[in-house]
Amino acid sequence: MRWYEVRPVRFVLIGVALVGPTAAILLALLLAGHVDAGVALPALLVNVVVAVAILRMIQTDTRRLTDYAEILGEASEPVPAPELDSITAEFIASAMARAQQAWLDRESRDAGRAGLFEAVIDQLHDPVILLGPGREVRRANQAACKLFGDRLLDRDLASSVRTPSLLEAADAVLAGGASRTVEVLLPVPVERTLQARVKPFRPPGEEGPLLVLLTLHDITVLKRSEQMRADFVANASHELRTPLAALIGFIETLRGPAKDDPAAHERFLGIMFDQSNRMSRLVNDLLSLSRIEMDEHSPPTEQVDVAKIVRNVAATLELRAASRKVKLRLEQPDSLPPVVGDEDQLSQVFQNLIDNAIKYGKEQTEVTVALTASTQGKAGTVRGPAVMVAVTDRGDGIARTHLPRLTERFYRVDPARSRALGGTGLGLAIVKHIVNRHRGRLIIDSEVGKGSTFTVMLPAAKAVKVVEREVG
């Protein structure tokens, strides 16, 4: 019930206010004998009728204004003002309509601004997460959902993030602590380091419970740059020591005892040339490995034809194979699905694998490069459809004790033979990091006395979306 229905006394008072002064004047004039009762009573009756009419008009307009106000409170678009009898009520209704229009305009602007902010936050490269007082994830932008999976929303952060330091920091800030910064290590699918900033957050003008705003910034490149500088100095100084010592020794010999010996000049210069080439290959491989590791956490985006890449690499190595009387045999089906990859890096992968097969295989044997497509990934390999490239040689094989370490930097099964064949000990490390960047797998199988098979498995183009959420 409305106020004018439950409090009629107000209308009685308004009626008394309208009729009272006129009735008092007429009564005073009547008592003073200035007017007759026949005149005073009709005048009083007219006054009462007018007052009642005015009260009815006020009551009707008030009811219409009240209904109009209730409609405005629920309306999402402008509502025209009702027809009213009094000018004052019309002014009030007009003012209410203008107020509603202004409110709708402001709401529209605020909604547009909020939508713009939402879109901007979703387009941020860095993950942003808003945690509730129970550590549940209330909001997360696209980068956060891509990193931890869509299951992140409306669940405890611990169900998607297994990093104790980050969870402890979130709990501490929710308990009223100051902002914190911690490092988060994501080991899969490629190891990355993120810097997490955990800050208390309370929406402006609200008195609700404390929330937490969590932002993560990828600092993998910075960490790897620091590590690479240290590794480069350590590895380069170790591997370059031998050829540099040899060069210095030969130069001293040529300037001293062999100064006038043409035969020694010819022999030593040949050795010095080989050692210089070895240093050049070593530096180039180190720089190449550094560049690959810098981009390892960012998968490629272009679709490439693996069969075409392998054919081109095989064509460039035919002369090298012929020099060792090795036959290159390429096996491939009529069609293969494309993969999302970097053409130059994949060429480097197959160049290293086929070149190794030619170098370490026996002369007058065969190197087989087999391309196949699989519809289902096996346990421990890529998920879903994949393209597999297997390079098989007929060499001496590799003992199983060496297999787990073959992709380590500078690890050699036979160091003397590797150096004699011009190897730097970095080829398989380069292969491993390129395959990791492509979210693939490198499988090595070897049997002593029979040969080795190096298989590269690359996710097919439709299966390359890997959800990166199992972190710890």
Side-chain angles (χ1 to χ4, degrees):
M1 297 181 69
R2 299 178 177 86
W3 66 270
Y4 52 79
E5 294 174 340
V6 299
R7 295 183 180 179
V9 175
R10 293 186 177 182
F11 287 95
V12 174
L13 294 177
I14 295 174
V16 171
L18 291 173
V19 177
T22 303
I25 293 171
L26 287 174
L27 181 59
L29 291 174
L30 181 62
L31 293 175
H34 296 295
V35 294
D36 296 331
V39 176
L41 291 177
L44 181 60
L45 181 60
V46 170
N47 190 36
V48 171
V49 171
V50 172
V52 170
I54 294 174
L55 285 174
R56 293 290 297 175
M57 182 179 64
I58 293 175
Q59 185 180 31
T60 301
D61 285 351
T62 302
R63 183 183 297 111
R64 290 173 181 173
L65 284 175
T66 303
D67 293 339
Y68 182 52
E70 291 182 354
I71 294 172
L72 291 181
E74 299 176 356
S76 59
E77 56 185 23
V79 178
E83 294 184 1
L84 300 170
D85 296 327
S86 68
I87 297 177
T88 303
E90 287 183 356
F91 287 157
I92 294 174
S94 178
M96 292 171 65
R98 291 195 299 271
Q100 187 222 15
Q101 184 63 56
W103 179 82
L104 289 175
D105 292 343
R106 184 167 57 252
E107 185 182 53
S108 177
R109 289 194 300 271
D110 291 344
R113 195 176 295 116
L116 177 62
F117 289 158
E118 288 279 349
V120 169
I121 292 173
D122 263 343
Q123 294 303 314
L124 289 178
H125 179 72
D126 291 339
V128 179
I129 298 172
L130 181 65
L131 299 180
R135 206 172 63 185
E136 75 280 3
V137 178
R138 290 192 174 181
R139 302 297 294 273
N141 66 349
Q142 290 182 4
C145 291
K146 182 180 178 181
L147 182 63
F148 299 115
D150 292 332
R151 296 184 307 170
L152 177 69
L153 293 171
D154 301 322
R155 303 177 65 182
D156 192 307
L157 183 65
S159 64
S160 299
V161 181
R162 311 290 174 80
T163 306
S165 59
L166 179 59
L167 298 177
E168 291 172 3
D171 289 338
V173 175
L174 284 171
S179 301
R180 296 193 178 191
T181 300
V182 296
E183 287 190 3
V184 179
L185 180 66
L186 307 185
V188 293
V190 175
E191 185 175 290
R192 286 182 295 171
T193 303
L194 304 178
Q195 184 182 68
R197 294 183 176 89
V198 188
K199 298 180 63 177
F201 176 76
R202 181 175 279 112
E206 294 188 13
E207 296 295 334
L210 187 67
L211 307 179
V212 161
L213 187 64
L214 173 62
T215 58
L216 297 106
H217 178 61
D218 196 332
I219 58 172
T220 306
V221 174
L222 297 177
K223 288 289 184 181
R224 286 184 177 172
S225 296
E226 296 172 1
Q227 187 62 43
M228 283 175 200
R229 283 194 291 270
D231 290 346
F232 185 86
V233 171
N235 295 329
S237 62
H238 175 74
E239 291 294 323
L240 293 175
R241 186 180 296 116
T242 299
L244 279 174
L247 285 173
I248 293 172
F250 290 135
I251 291 172
E252 290 177 348
T253 301
L254 290 175
R255 295 177 65 185
K259 183 177 182 179
D260 299 320
D261 187 344
H265 281 198
E266 186 69 23
R267 184 163 62 90
F268 289 162
L269 287 174
I271 297 174
M272 292 169 66
F273 180 76
D274 291 339
Q275 293 295 329
S276 299
N277 282 337
R278 180 186 168 195
M279 286 194 297
S280 177
R281 289 194 301 271
L282 179 62
V283 171
N284 288 336
D285 281 353
L286 280 171
L287 293 174
S288 177
L289 183 58
S290 297
R291 286 192 296 269
I292 292 166
E293 287 182 332
M294 288 284 287
D295 296 332
E296 189 174 351
H297 65 289
S298 301
T301 56
E302 300 295 327
Q303 291 193 13
V304 297
D305 184 350
V306 175
K308 179 181 177 182
I309 294 174
V310 172
R311 287 195 300 269
N312 291 339
V313 171
T316 62
L317 293 174
E318 282 183 353
L319 290 178
R320 183 174 181 81
S323 67
R324 300 198 73 240
K325 299 179 181 179
V326 171
K327 179 182 178 182
L328 283 178
R329 184 159 63 92
L330 184 61
E331 300 176 353
Q332 69 175 85
D334 294 334
S335 63
L336 284 172
V339 302
V340 175
D342 184 310
E343 185 170 347
D344 291 337
Q345 288 190 348
L346 290 179
S347 296
Q348 192 173 6
V349 166
F350 301 125
Q351 173 91 19
N352 285 348
L353 293 180
I354 298 174
D355 185 60
N356 283 349
I358 294 171
K359 285 192 300 186
Y360 296 105
K362 296 178 181 177
E363 291 190 359
Q364 298 182 346
T365 59
E366 186 177 75
V367 170
T368 304
V369 183
L371 289 82
T372 56
S374 76
T375 56
Q376 294 293 332
K378 300 178 181 179
T381 62
V382 300
R383 298 178 182 178
V387 175
M388 297 183 292
V389 182
V391 180
T392 304
D393 64 59
R394 276 73 178 176
D396 295 330
I398 305 168
R400 291 197 172 273
T401 55
H402 295 290
L403 295 184
R405 300 191 60 190
L406 283 181
T407 56
E408 293 180 9
R409 295 185 182 191
F410 302 111
Y411 185 83
R412 301 178 177 91
V413 177
D414 186 346
R417 184 184 180 192
S418 174
R419 291 191 178 96
L421 294 174
T424 62
L426 295 172
L428 289 179
I430 291 173
V431 168
K432 179 189 74 172
H433 287 288
I434 292 177
V435 173
N436 284 347
R437 185 190 176 217
H438 286 72
R439 305 306 188 251
R441 294 290 184 273
L442 174 64
I443 303 172
I444 305 174
D445 189 22
S446 185
E447 187 174 349
V448 176
K450 292 188 176 181
S452 306
T453 299
F454 292 78
T455 303
V456 174
M457 298 187 67
L458 300 170
K462 294 182 180 180
V464 296
K465 293 184 178 180
V466 179
V467 177
E468 305 172 3
R469 57 173 173 259
E470 296 298 329
V471 300

